[in-house]
Amino acid sequence: MKVKQIHKNIGVSIEGIDLSKIDENTFKKIKDLWVQYLIIIFPKQNISDEDHIKFGKKFGELEVHPSLSHRSSKNPEIYRVSNVDENGKIIPNKETSWQYLKQSWLWHTDSSFRKIPSNGSILHGISTTNKGGNTLFANMYKAYEDLDETLKEKIQNLRVVHDHEYIINLSKELSRRKNKGNYDKLDPVIHPLVRRHPVTKKPSLFLSPHTMVKIVDYDYDKGRKLLEKLIEHSIQPKYVYEHIWNNDDIIMWDNRCTMHSVKPFNNNIIKRIMHRVTLVGDKEPVMA
Ligand code: OGA
Ligand code: MN
């Protein structure tokens, strides 16, 4: 197993292993590296969805995504992050299912709309592009660490309302439609703005711009301004690794201390197919 750092502040790549057959010792090493470096790139993993699921299940239970139309018809644990339908046809830009998925171009943390958000995600690039479609990952420990003490004190006890509906409301197209898509019902939830990682015990900023509605018990406009300022701070290149995909890269990230976004690509002509499994969270986020 060959481990290489890919950015000063976040991420490693691991080569020389096959994720469809790893022993317990290798699994343990991967788990430790994931917690230590936040994201892992595994190049050249030409594995089946079943093996992808099997690998994910080593970490625990897997989520089924609330959006019905993005679940694989064969394996509900596979979330199809794709502008191509299961018959291989590009989904027209106006289609509700694409407009929903397009919201992943915004910065976010997976499943921040759940009371217990996901621990981590594992994404398999099946048909990738380097003409846009790069994925960006931010180290939210480091973003927090670098805030000045006054700001740290100011945000220390704040809590934020996160809502799945907000993803839809942020979309100009979807928000004005009667049929906004088919989703499991999810009530708004409240999460701390600064959370403590259950394993490393380190504090990080918990931002998920596509679900963050407002700060609780705070002037709405001032709260929005504060959130925007924290987002801008966190997405500076020094905190962010940008991945240019090759087919059969698999990326695993820790949702408890990162956020990510996707750079736009021409979804009308390029076929981009990514399959994701999502690790069920084991604890509600704890205020740091
Ligand atoms: C995700 C996501 C990343 C990508 O899978 O959680 O936001 O590169 N997409 O498509
Ligand atoms: Mn995502």
Side-chain angles (χ1 to χ4, degrees):
M1 164 164 158
K2 230 174 56 207
V3 182
K4 254 199 332 229
Q5 256 190 281
I6 51 172
H7 181 283
K8 186 166 146 272
N9 283 324
I10 181 169
V12 289
S13 68
I14 301 182
E15 297 197 48
I17 56 169
D18 177 348
L19 290 184
S20 69
K21 34 179 177 278
I22 53 168
D23 55 33
E24 273 317 295
N25 192 30
T26 309
F27 171 68
K28 232 191 120 305
K29 276 190 200 150
I30 291 173
K31 201 170 172 183
D32 288 346
L33 287 166
W34 169 59
V35 169
Q36 188 180 351
Y37 290 98
L38 292 57
I39 73 164
I40 303 181
I41 317 287
F42 301 98
K44 300 190 185 79
Q45 299 293 336
N46 181 9
I47 66 173
S48 64
D49 283 349
E50 289 72 22
D51 283 333
H52 184 182
I53 290 169
K54 215 170 94 194
F55 174 62
K57 281 191 173 164
K58 285 182 171 283
F59 295 86
E61 204 188 326
L62 300 179
E63 288 188 3
V64 172
H65 197 275
S67 170
L68 271 70
S69 59
H70 296 93
R71 297 174 193 164
S72 152
S73 58
K74 275 197 229 107
N75 299 293
E77 302 97 331
I78 295 278
Y79 174 50
R80 300 185 66 258
V81 186
S82 174
N83 66 324
V84 179
D85 67 21
E86 288 191 299
N87 300 316
K89 269 195 21 220
I90 291 193
I91 302 165
N93 186 62
K94 289 269 175 191
E95 197 84 9
T96 302
S97 66
W98 170 250
Q99 287 295 324
Y100 176 81
L101 203 65
K102 194 175 161 219
Q103 296 302 83
S104 64
W105 291 4
L106 305 172
W107 282 97
H108 66 278
T109 301
D110 294 334
S111 299
S112 53
F113 45 74
R114 293 189 195 275
K115 208 167 150 66
I116 301 185
S118 153
N119 276 0
S121 302
I122 307 170
L123 185 66
H124 182 188
I126 293 172
S127 171
T128 63
T129 173
N130 57 15
K131 295 184 175 56
N134 299 350
T135 311
L136 282 66
F137 297 91
N139 179 339
M140 303 305 281
Y141 290 132
K142 197 86 182 92
Y144 174 74
E145 196 184 301
D146 288 351
L147 296 177
D148 65 56
E149 288 308 315
T150 329
L151 187 50
K152 278 186 186 164
E153 242 168 65
K154 179 172 165 177
I155 64 173
Q156 171 178 297
N157 294 313
L158 298 181
R159 297 178 309 144
V160 178
V161 177
H162 291 253
D163 193 348
H164 181 259
E165 291 263 310
Y166 196 69
I167 301 176
I168 293 153
N169 294 337
L170 275 181
S171 159
K172 247 199 212 143
E173 271 294 326
L174 290 183
S175 56
R176 60 174 182 231
R177 286 187 194 175
K178 199 154 168 217
N179 179 3
K180 301 177 200 299
N182 239 329
Y183 313 100
D184 293 341
K185 175 146 180 44
L186 288 156
D187 290 325
V189 294
I190 292 175
H191 293 309
L193 182 51
V194 185
R195 68 185 292 188
R196 194 169 292 288
H197 194 287
V199 183
T200 65
K201 309 293 179 202
K202 289 198 304 190
S204 74
L205 275 175
F206 184 8
L207 300 177
S208 189
H210 80 345
T211 60
M212 288 195 300
V213 183
K214 59 172 189 173
I215 300 180
V216 177
D217 297 332
Y218 210 84
D219 177 84
Y220 178 79
D221 291 330
K222 276 194 189 147
R224 285 303 321 177
K225 253 203 191 134
L226 178 55
L227 292 175
E228 297 307 328
K229 177 174 159 178
L230 293 170
I231 294 163
E232 280 311 306
H233 163 76
S234 305
I235 60 178
Q236 296 177 77
K238 61 182 166 185
Y239 307 126
V240 174
Y241 167 71
E242 175 168 353
H243 189 68
I244 302 170
W245 288 87
N246 284 306
N247 287 353
D248 286 327
D249 286 344
I250 287 185
I251 305 188
M252 166 163 203
W253 61 87
D254 189 335
N255 283 313
R256 300 164 294 187
C257 50
T258 63
M259 62 172 179
H260 57 277
S261 67
V262 181
K263 282 215 170 147
F265 64 96
N266 189 341
N267 57 286
N268 293 310
I269 55 168
I270 294 170
K271 290 186 175 182
R272 188 176 188 271
I273 306 172
M274 326 289 273
H275 284 185
R276 186 181 98 193
V277 300
T278 315
L279 313 182
V280 167
D282 42 18
K283 286 185 189 76
E284 278 183 49
V286 172
M287 194 175 271

